[in-house]
């Protein structure tokens, strides 16, 4: 049953029809969650004792940084799927995610530096977490430039998958950089294993904003993957019926 | 000849031009020297791997090696090893000599030598992967793409110099790099061989 579903879902045609049905639910629910937690976080959360109002950028910065790594993990999973099972859809997803990942990483970097001015007194510091996120940003750009330099799409997909998998070694380094080196950037406040070190009045909108932002970015990925499918399957007859 | 002497000359030229860019009477040459040393090792390794597969690819011998029964990943590993022996080791010896000229502290230079040996081997492996990715597309692209992967190694190298200047646990950094190297030299030849097979399909 599940196997059959996965097999069907892996074909671009079924994916396109299924995702169109699900798209509006994902979009509106995540838009609602994100706006709701933004309003909660911006208007109804008390001021931070030390940072004042400037901490409220957390509702953009944390979801963006969280997603910048998650999107790379998603790309790595898609690469492994593509190289092992030769699922075409996975290859489309890799190149669909890459520009969005670059964008989200850029949001994380810029919002972080805006936050840095009032709290650290500097907008940029060569600290482990910031530098490794910058490396991630450069890696996203490199992935895009590798893919665009080949006219043969299938070859480009395979080479891109290898690069994504090899580049995956950087993700644990970014994730753990704040724990391994003593740096300016604080270590993670929310972990799966420990109790969060944030007050619940700030934590709940934060969790809501992470979920909402996640959903919105997934919507972007869906749109971008649709573009990829239409671009790459343009010779297929089913696409004519779809369009 | 160009691919052998070129990177070494590049390394020497960068290292020679370093004192020229600062005041001659400056006593504190040591300050930026080590970071420049690591970066110039990185650059000369990037330069050396530029055409590692290109000639074989153009005259078709790469295809024949893959078709023949000899193990292709093993051949890639041998190729990288030869590059390291011919370019990596001379550059490490040169960096030891340059460091002797810069600092009075012999233990720094002695420690720097194995670090240069290991890091040049790591960089070679990474850049060979990059060159294989953009085999017939001008290898600068591949080298640029794999550069971010080398940056964590640079961070470790930078930290290690501080550690040795204060005389604390520098063996840790050496062992960390050695561990990275042992993973990289076993994995990279296989990945490179898959990538090259993709190119030839």
């Amino acid at each position: 049953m599940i196997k059959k579903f996965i097999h069907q879902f892996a074909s671009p045609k079924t994916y396109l029809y299924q995702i169109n049905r699900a798209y509006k639910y994902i979009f509106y629910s995540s838009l609602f969650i994100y706006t709701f937690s933004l309003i909660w976080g911006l208007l109804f959360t008390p001021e931070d004792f030390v940072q004042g109002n400037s901490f409220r950028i957390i509702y953009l910065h944390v979801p963006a940084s969280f997603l910048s790594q998650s999107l790379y993990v998603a790309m790595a999973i898609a690469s492994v799927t593509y190289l092992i099972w030769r699922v075409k859809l996975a290859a489309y997803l890799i190149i669909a995610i890459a520009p969005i990942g670059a964008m989200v990483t850029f949001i994380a970097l810029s919002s972080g530096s805006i936050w840095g001015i009032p709290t650290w007194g500097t907008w940029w510091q060569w600290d482990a977490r910031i530098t490794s996120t910058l490396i991630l940003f450069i890696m996203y750009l490199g992935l895009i430039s590798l893919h665009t330099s080949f006219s043969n799409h299938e070859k480009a997909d395979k080479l891109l998958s290898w690069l994504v998998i090899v580049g995956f070694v950087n993700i644990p380094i970014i994730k753990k950089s704040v724990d391994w080196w003593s740096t300016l950037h604080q270590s993670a406040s929310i972990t799966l294993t420990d109790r969060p070190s944030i007050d619940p009045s700030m934590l709940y909108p934060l969790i809501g904003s992470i979920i909402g932002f996640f959903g919105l970015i997934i919507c972007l990925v869906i749109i971008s993957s649709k573009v990829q499918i239409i671009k790459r399957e343009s010779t297929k007859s089913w696409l004519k019926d779809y369009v | 000849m160009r691919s052998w002497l070129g990177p070494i000359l590049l390394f020497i030229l960068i290292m020679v031009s370093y004192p020229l860019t600062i005041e001659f009477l400056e006593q504190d040459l040591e300050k930026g020297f080590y970071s420049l040393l690591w970066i110039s090792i990185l650059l000369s390794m990037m330069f050396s791997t530029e055409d590692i597969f290109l000639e074989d690819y153009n005259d078709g011998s790469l295809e024949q090696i893959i078709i023949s029964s000899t193990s292709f990943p093993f051949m890639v590993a041998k190729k990288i090893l030869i590059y390291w022996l011919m370019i990596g080791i001379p550059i490490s010896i040169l960096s030891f000599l340059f460091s002797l000229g810069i600092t009075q502290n012999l233990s720094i230079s002695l420690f720097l030598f194995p670090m240069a040996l290991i890091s040049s081997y790591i960089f070679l492996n990474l850049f060979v992967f990059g060159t294989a990715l953009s085999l017939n597309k001008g290898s600068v692209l591949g080298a640029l793409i794999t550069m971010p992967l080398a940056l964590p190694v640079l961070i470790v190298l930078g930290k290690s110099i501080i550690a040795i200047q204060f005389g604390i646990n520098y063996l840790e950094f050496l062992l960390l790099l050695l561990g990275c190297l042992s993973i990289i030299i076993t994995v990279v030849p296989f990945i490179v061989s898959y990538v090259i097979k993709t190119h030839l399909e």
Side-chain angles (χ1 to χ4, degrees), chain B residues 111 159-174:
Chain B
F111 169 67
K159 298 248 172 215
S160 71
I161 286 298
I162 299 170
I164 190 171
Q165 277 169 344
F166 289 110
I168 41 166
N169 61 26
Y170 45 77
L171 205 61
E172 262 178 31
F173 291 100
L174 196 65

Side-chain angles (χ1 to χ4, degrees), chain B residues 45 83-93 116-117 120-121 124:
Chain B
M45 287 303 142
Y83 266 65
W84 181 64
L85 290 176
M86 296 299 284
I87 300 168
I89 289 182
I91 280 180
S92 307
I93 294 169
L117 281 177
S120 61
Y121 206 178
L124 259 181

